[in-house]
Amino acid sequence: MRRPGGWWRTKSTPEKVETYTRWSFHFFGVIEVFALGLTAYGRTGVGLATVLCLLVVAHAAVCMLVSSRALDWTRGRRPQPVRLMWTLVVVSAVVSTTAVVIAERGPAGEVETAAGSVYGGVLCFAAGVITLGVSGRRRMVAVVGGFAVGAGLLTFPLEMPVLASVVLAGLVMVTGGFLAITSIFSLWLLNAVYALDDAKETRARLAVAEERLRFGRDLHDVMGRNLAVIALKSELAVQLSRRGRPEAVEQMIEVQRIAQESQREVRDVVRGYREAALEVELAGARGVLTAAGITAKVTGETAGLPAEVQSALGWVVREATTNVLRHGDAKKVAVTVRMSGGRVVLTVENDGVAETTGDGPSAETADTVGSAHTGGSGGSGLAGLRERLSAVDGTLEAGPAGRGVFRLTAAVPLPDATAGAALEVAS
């Protein structure tokens, strides 16, 4: 069973910010009910207080709906809620007019204060919410200014002094403007978080694309020369054959040999059996991770290691880097190479493991651990690494190493002579 709050942990950072923003707008409605509706019970009789409270609750509900639809419109999920915004304008006008009537015809005393609070408050909240559904500074200013002017005009039936009407309009302008600015800033922050997340995903894709381009260049280096030689020798064989020269057979035999050699080299590239220098892979991993916006720290000495050891560990670095880019949400990656007991130990740690829920480990962790320790089919990349390391009597361990940290450790034994020399260099 999933633990309480598991739905929150499964959300991405932008989704969490959006949920927080949406409920913040809803909380404005709750504030409106408590500040305007419930306080009426302490200022007037139960009957009129109930009427005012119900009006405020209805107005707050419409505000919540408009703010939610406006947020979806901002994110491009819904059309602009024009009808809902006009509905909010009408509801605000009805509630304000009703509050004016209650203040004018109701019993004298504190009922005027309660109705006046409802009258001005609903206009302020409505002005702040409607600005969410419009674009452009001029339109936003026009919305707030329109509500302020309307607040001043509706006070004439109450026979309020002109100065008092102007002050009330100014209060609506200032309060409504403050709510509008707060709402607009919240939307700007939400859009900025989504933009940063998209940029991070783009950087990761570019990093993976760069890795693919490097593989393409590698394949081109292997095949370019051989294909050029095959084309030249084939053309020469055609010319010799047309002249009836027996050397054409020898040229075609050479073409056949080069083609078979090319097949073997391509097979080596695809299967990953070409040698990879560890120092080159470490430098490439640092560059790719940095390009993806991930802090990469690489430490250790790689000089003097045998070619087969460097090749095996180089593929570990390449595969670990690819997994971080594709499957994690890491901010930091640490790669360490050290000598320990006649072995070369390569450790790759990242902080991009999702928190676990009551259902068990995260998908990434389960896949990685299953591939590393059981050799299952869950992760062919790590299974391939185990095969490469087994060829040099190496081992591979992968799994969580603390809260939110994933560690991959590869250990390869060194030949006696090399181990002694490496230990002297390390010391």
Side-chain angles (χ1 to χ4, degrees):
M1 181 179 297
R2 179 171 294 180
R3 294 184 299 178
W7 67 275
W8 177 261
R9 287 189 292 270
T10 58
K11 290 179 177 292
S12 63
T13 299
E15 290 173 344
K16 291 179 179 179
V17 176
E18 180 178 348
T19 302
Y20 171 79
T21 304
R22 189 182 301 274
W23 283 103
S24 296
F25 293 153
H26 291 171
F27 188 66
F28 283 166
V30 177
I31 294 176
E32 181 180 359
V33 172
F34 276 89
L36 305 179
L38 296 182
T39 56
Y41 283 97
R43 297 176 177 178
T44 184
V46 176
L48 290 177
T50 302
V51 173
L52 292 174
C53 186
L54 290 177
L55 290 174
V56 172
V57 169
H59 185 268
V62 178
C63 286
M64 290 180 182
L65 182 59
V66 171
S67 62
S68 181
R69 295 295 177 85
L71 179 58
D72 291 336
W73 168 68
T74 303
R75 295 303 310 152
R77 304 190 188 104
R78 291 178 181 269
Q80 187 178 15
V82 178
R83 293 183 179 180
L84 273 177
M85 289 191 295
W86 279 111
T87 301
L88 179 57
V89 172
V90 172
V91 172
S92 301
V94 171
V95 173
S96 299
T97 303
T98 305
V100 169
V101 172
I102 291 176
E104 185 179 15
R105 299 185 180 181
E110 294 184 351
V111 65
E112 295 180 357
T113 304
S117 299
V118 172
Y119 167 73
V122 295
L123 295 178
C124 293
F125 280 100
V129 170
I130 290 181
T131 53
L132 295 173
V134 297
S135 58
R137 296 180 181 178
R138 293 183 179 179
R139 294 180 180 179
M140 295 175 183
V141 172
V143 168
V144 178
F147 273 91
V149 173
L153 293 177
L154 286 176
T155 58
F156 285 102
L158 295 177
E159 298 181 355
M160 292 180 60
V162 177
L163 181 59
S165 299
V166 173
V167 170
L168 179 59
L171 289 176
V172 173
M173 173 70 78
V174 173
T175 307
F178 174 76
L179 292 176
I181 293 174
T182 302
S183 302
I184 294 169
F185 178 77
S186 299
L187 288 181
W188 175 84
L189 181 61
L190 175 63
N191 291 330
V193 171
Y194 269 106
L196 289 174
D197 187 70
D198 292 341
K200 179 182 178 181
E201 183 178 355
T202 301
R203 288 196 301 268
R205 290 179 179 178
L206 289 175
V208 174
E210 178 64 25
E211 183 67 16
R212 291 176 178 174
L213 287 175
R214 186 175 70 163
F215 178 81
R217 291 193 298 267
D218 197 7
L219 187 61
H220 178 269
D221 293 340
V222 171
M223 294 297 298
R225 179 184 61 83
N226 290 346
L227 289 177
V229 174
I230 288 175
L232 290 174
K233 286 187 173 294
S234 298
E235 183 179 357
L236 177 60
V238 170
Q239 297 296 332
L240 292 175
S241 177
R242 287 176 178 177
R243 299 174 183 177
R245 300 283 296 273
E247 291 87 347
V249 176
E250 297 179 359
Q251 294 297 327
M252 291 307 300
I253 292 175
E254 183 67 12
V255 167
Q256 182 182 19
R257 183 191 66 79
I258 296 175
Q260 291 175 348
E261 182 180 353
S262 299
Q263 281 184 326
R264 178 183 59 79
E265 292 181 351
V266 170
R267 194 179 300 116
D268 289 345
V269 171
V270 174
R271 292 182 179 180
Y273 286 111
R274 294 186 68 219
E275 293 185 357
L278 179 58
E279 185 67 27
V280 175
E281 293 300 328
L282 290 174
R286 184 190 294 110
V288 168
L289 292 172
T290 302
I294 301 173
T295 303
K297 181 180 180 182
V298 179
T299 57
E301 181 63 40
T302 61
L305 297 178
E308 62 273 12
V309 174
Q310 291 206 34
S311 178
L313 294 180
W315 279 105
V316 173
V317 173
R318 182 179 297 184
E319 183 66 25
T321 304
T322 303
N323 285 342
V324 170
L325 293 173
R326 290 182 177 177
H327 307 301
D329 189 20
K331 302 295 186 300
K332 297 180 181 179
V333 176
V335 183
T336 304
V337 181
R338 58 185 175 87
M339 310 297 174
S340 176
R343 299 185 306 166
V344 183
V345 181
L346 172 69
T347 304
V348 182
E349 290 186 356
N350 71 84
D351 59 353
V353 177
E355 294 184 14
T356 59
T357 62
D359 297 331
S362 64
E364 177 193 2
T365 304
D367 175 65
T368 308
V369 175
S371 302
H373 293 288
T374 65
S377 60
S380 58
L382 291 180
L385 291 181
R386 289 176 59 84
E387 293 179 0
R388 293 189 181 94
L389 290 173
S390 63
V392 290
D393 297 328
T395 60
L396 180 68
E397 296 180 359
R403 185 177 181 83
V405 177
F406 187 83
R407 178 185 298 163
L408 185 146
T409 304
V412 178
L414 290 171
D416 294 338
T418 306
L423 288 176
E424 290 179 2
V425 172
S427 59

